[in-house]
Amino acid sequence: MWNGNAKGRGIKEMGGDKDSPKTPGEQSKSHMEDILGLLRIHIKRGVNLAVRDVSTSDPYVVVKMGKQKLKTRVIKKDVNPEWNEDLTLSVSNPLCPFVLTVYDHDTFTKDDKMGDAECDISPFIEALKMNTEGLPNGTIIRRIHPSRKNCLADDSCIVFNDGKVVQDIVLRLRNVECGEVEIQMEWIDLPGSKIL
């Protein structure tokens, strides 16, 4: 049942009377309960990206998950850009993938698309639920192989390192002649959020 006050933000209320008003404190509490935690996506670099200007491109990355949309800075004249930027998404549905799209920034015309990739976060979420107590640094929790169903360019390992679970990923861009983007995912627990 949707609460009228929360409708615009997509917060789904379970049970309760739809006409009973919620105080701001109750609304933010229920919103926090919907969020499982934060997914920090470290956008490392692009490799062999497509040329969209005369001999180069001015690439930037946009990451979308649900209604959230974040972007990196533009790197001028580089088809092998190093962004080294963190983009942080709030996760409420562990089955919802994020889509990463690379664009070429243009000053006077619409930015050109330079490919996209979808990234399934459910294997990473499953790995987070495992008991990592006592695991030595560098332990590979899970290895995901490239397939027709994912955009992986290479094997991707979910690793326990320095008390954290991280996943290094090389995404092969779709709908473009060439290009890959290297990222790393890391989970951030939120106080008051659902425990995985």
Side-chain angles (χ1 to χ4, degrees):
M1 184 175 301
W2 288 95
N3 173 313
N5 296 333
K7 188 185 280 181
R9 290 191 304 273
I11 302 169
K12 195 170 184 182
E13 298 280 340
M14 298 305 285
D17 180 8
K18 69 177 180 178
D19 297 325
S20 64
K22 299 260 187 252
T23 65
E26 287 175 314
Q27 285 177 355
S28 64
K29 184 178 175 214
S30 67
H31 182 61
M32 284 303 291
E33 287 169 1
D34 283 349
I35 296 175
L36 301 174
L38 299 177
L39 182 67
R40 178 183 292 146
I41 304 166
H42 182 70
I43 310 287
K44 295 180 182 179
R45 66 183 66 87
V47 179
N48 191 28
L49 298 179
V51 171
R52 287 293 177 262
D53 296 331
V54 178
S55 61
T56 187
S57 293
D58 303 321
Y60 65 94
V61 173
V62 173
V63 172
K64 282 187 191 175
M65 178 188 270
K67 293 181 179 175
Q68 301 171 83
K69 181 178 174 181
L70 302 168
K71 71 181 224 177
T72 65
R73 71 189 188 282
V74 174
I75 306 279
K76 294 281 188 190
K77 297 182 175 15
D78 197 343
V79 291
N80 294 291
E82 299 221 4
W83 287 284
N84 285 316
E85 274 187 62
D86 289 333
L87 303 179
T88 304
L89 299 165
S90 56
V91 178
S92 51
N93 179 358
L95 300 176
C96 181
F98 66 83
V99 176
L100 178 150
T101 307
V102 182
Y103 290 92
D104 171 46
H105 175 74
D106 288 319
T107 307
F108 302 110
T109 58
K110 189 171 182 259
D111 292 353
D112 298 315
K113 200 170 172 184
M114 296 169 60
D116 62 82
E118 187 173 270
C119 188
D120 179 12
I121 64 168
S122 54
F124 182 68
I125 301 286
E126 287 301 314
L128 290 168
K129 294 178 183 176
M130 294 176 60
N131 181 7
T132 55
E133 205 172 303
L135 283 181
N137 261 355
T139 300
I140 296 174
I141 298 170
R142 185 163 175 195
R143 186 185 306 267
I144 299 132
H145 304 290
S147 75
R148 290 178 183 268
K149 293 181 181 177
N150 64 38
C151 292
L152 298 180
D154 210 344
D155 281 1
S156 174
C157 293
I158 301 171
V159 179
F160 180 75
N161 233 347
D162 296 327
K164 295 182 280 198
V165 175
V166 296
Q167 182 177 0
D168 286 302
I169 302 170
V170 180
L171 292 169
R172 178 174 286 123
L173 297 173
R174 308 175 293 192
N175 307 310
V176 69
E177 58 272 22
C178 60
E180 296 174 353
V181 176
E182 294 179 21
I183 65 170
Q184 183 183 70
M185 294 193 304
E186 180 189 330
W187 188 256
I188 302 167
D189 282 318
L190 280 180
S193 63
K194 289 178 183 172
I195 305 300
L196 284 171

